[in-house]
Amino acid sequence: MLTNVLKTAASFLQQGVAPPNTPPEQVEQLASTNHLASKKFFLAISGFVILAIFYVGSVAALFLMVESPTAISSYTTMFTKTMEVFATIMACYLGGQALVDLKYNSSSSASLQGTTNESINETISISKEEVTVIHTNAKEDDYELE
Amino acid sequence: MSSNKQPSTKTLNLLLQYEVGGGQKYYEKFLSKFTWPKGASGPTIAIGVDCGYYTPAELAQIFSFLSSEQIELIQGASGKTGAAGKQYTVKLREAGITVSWEQAKHIFETLTWPKFSKLAEKAFPGLNELHEDAYGAVVSLVFNRGTSMRGDSRREMRVIKMLVPDKQYAKIAAQLRSMKRIWVGMGLDGLLERRDAEASLVAGCI
């Protein structure tokens, strides 16, 4: 089971890989889905990673506090409350976004609307009458070569 | 006497940037057919070959790899600059004449660069003594502005002519930047950028 969970998580973070046990008719669709385009998925996965880092860090900090046991209680309270607030913010965002998506039938996926230089260049219309592409080599009226 | 210098890497990059939009990819997409770069330009193809400023004999030599009908048509572009050049460019485009990137490079290496470096050395005595990047920047200037030194619009070129023998790189760069006054508000901002790039190339030799 743990293997399947890890494989599923890995498949969500890769292109061209479907999670294990995906019905054959949906393999292609799931394999080609960019899960990171979903803001909710992105936030959840980044939240999970951040929490994991915090957890490992906090345990490491506890080892360093062996010499001052009185501070451990305050430290754990601070850590717990910070995590609570962080998790609440994430949950509120995810819940709010889900409600908005439900109401407006949107996907909340990040869409790439930027244009590359190449596509900008492609918009240069070179119609029959339009003969200028670049003008960085334009000549002056008194241009001459002697 | 010509020094037969080859363009430095920075010079080559600059010329490719401002003559053909950067290199092979852009060239093949937009510039392998005749275009007209505005101003007093003529029909232009390959790496900055402005047919309006070449004699029919020179054009026949440059485009010897094309068919005789196509060469004849290109020779008709000789002397056609400005509005006439623009109009003739349409005709050349309709004829479907194309020059591949490999052919364009060959023309540049064997004809265009030697021709313009020679012209630049003649117009700016002492040029071949400059650092290769400064040398290239001045050749790029001649490529774009020609060799004329007459009139107010070319006063910076006259100053550069005096500065070259003393290798006054900082002052040459300043003069190149000063030239931008000519194109401000003319819808030719690419030329302002080109002069800045040439000035930076010269300033890098200090």
Side-chain angles (χ1 to χ4, degrees):
Chain A
M1 185 189 156
L2 186 63
T3 314
N4 277 350
V5 169
L6 290 174
K7 278 183 180 172
T8 303
S11 74
F12 281 174
L13 298 172
Q14 292 176 78
Q15 182 73 16
V17 181
N21 303 321
T22 303
E25 66 273 16
Q26 291 177 349
V27 167
E28 197 179 335
Q29 189 198 345
L30 269 171
S32 62
T33 302
N34 177 12
H35 294 278
L36 285 172
S38 161
K39 283 189 274 186
K40 290 197 288 287
F41 178 83
F42 183 79
L43 194 76
I45 196 86
S46 4
F48 177 78
V49 171
I50 291 166
L51 282 172
I53 291 168
F54 265 71
Y55 178 78
V56 172
S58 67
V59 172
L62 282 173
F63 278 99
L64 298 174
M65 294 167 76
V66 171
E67 300 300 320
S68 49
T70 49
I72 290 178
S73 174
S74 320
Y75 172 75
T76 49
T77 307
M78 280 167 61
F79 178 77
T80 311
K81 290 295 170 195
T82 306
M83 287 300 99
E84 272 176 23
V85 170
F86 185 67
T88 307
I89 292 170
M90 283 205 323
C92 286
Y93 174 80
L94 287 171
Q97 185 74 63
L99 282 173
V100 169
D101 289 345
L102 187 67
K103 183 170 172 59
Y104 296 104
N105 195 28
S106 57
S107 69
S108 80
S109 289
S111 60
L112 298 173
Q113 293 178 345
T115 49
T116 62
N117 280 341
E118 197 171 350
S119 61
I120 290 168
N121 290 339
E122 279 169 355
T123 62
I124 298 169
S125 66
I126 308 175
S127 64
K128 190 180 163 189
E129 301 303 323
E130 189 54 62
V131 290
T132 301
V133 178
I134 56 171
H135 61 263
T136 47
N137 51 351
K139 307 288 187 294
E140 295 156 81
D141 291 336
D142 57 351
Y143 183 91
E144 60 180 46
L145 300 169
E146 292 173 335
Chain B
M1 188 178 164
S2 175
S3 63
N4 294 322
K5 273 192 180 184
Q6 292 303 304
S8 69
T9 307
K10 286 180 182 172
T11 301
L12 197 57
N13 289 342
L14 185 145
L15 280 170
L16 291 180
Q17 179 64 39
Y18 294 106
E19 292 294 332
V20 289
Q24 183 175 3
K25 200 174 171 189
Y26 193 86
Y27 177 84
E28 285 175 344
K29 209 159 197 170
F30 301 111
L31 299 166
S32 60
K33 284 185 175 181
F34 276 93
T35 61
W36 179 73
K38 292 188 178 179
S41 302
T44 302
I45 200 165
I47 302 174
V49 178
D50 188 330
C51 299
Y53 293 95
Y54 285 82
T55 64
E58 284 176 318
L59 292 172
Q61 188 196 355
I62 293 171
F63 298 105
S64 58
F65 52 88
L66 295 173
S67 70
S68 53
E69 292 82 13
Q70 288 177 324
I71 292 172
E72 205 175 309
L73 197 60
I74 292 172
Q75 284 177 311
S78 177
K80 289 191 173 64
T81 59
K86 184 181 182 183
Q87 204 177 353
Y88 202 75
T89 304
V90 176
K91 196 174 173 184
L92 289 167
R93 287 178 72 88
E94 281 172 352
I97 300 169
T98 58
V99 172
S100 73
W101 175 247
E102 290 306 319
Q103 289 162 338
K105 270 203 315 183
H106 181 71
I107 294 168
F108 178 78
E109 286 162 4
T110 58
L111 296 163
T112 326
W113 172 263
K115 174 182 173 160
F116 281 89
S117 54
K118 195 175 166 186
L119 283 166
E121 286 180 22
K122 191 179 165 195
F124 296 91
L127 184 66
N128 57 0
E129 298 299 322
L130 295 192
H131 183 282
E132 57 177 2
D133 290 338
Y135 177 92
V138 176
V139 176
S140 166
L141 179 70
V142 170
F143 221 98
N144 180 226
R145 297 201 67 195
T147 53
S148 173
M149 301 273 176
R150 292 184 297 274
D152 182 63
S153 69
R154 290 171 184 272
R155 66 178 184 235
E156 289 89 353
M157 289 180 71
R158 293 194 292 273
V159 177
I160 290 173
K161 187 178 179 178
M162 291 190 289
L163 296 170
V164 163
D166 296 329
K167 300 183 183 178
Q168 302 220 35
Y169 296 123
K171 288 181 179 174
I172 294 171
Q175 289 300 317
L176 284 164
R177 288 205 168 89
S178 170
M179 271 178 213
K180 294 193 294 180
R181 66 186 170 89
I182 302 163
W183 301 283
V184 171
M186 301 266 288
L188 292 168
D189 290 353
L191 287 174
L192 308 183
E193 207 182 290
R194 181 171 181 157
R195 292 293 92 82
D196 273 333
E198 288 162 352
S200 300
L201 200 57
V202 175
C205 304
I206 298 168

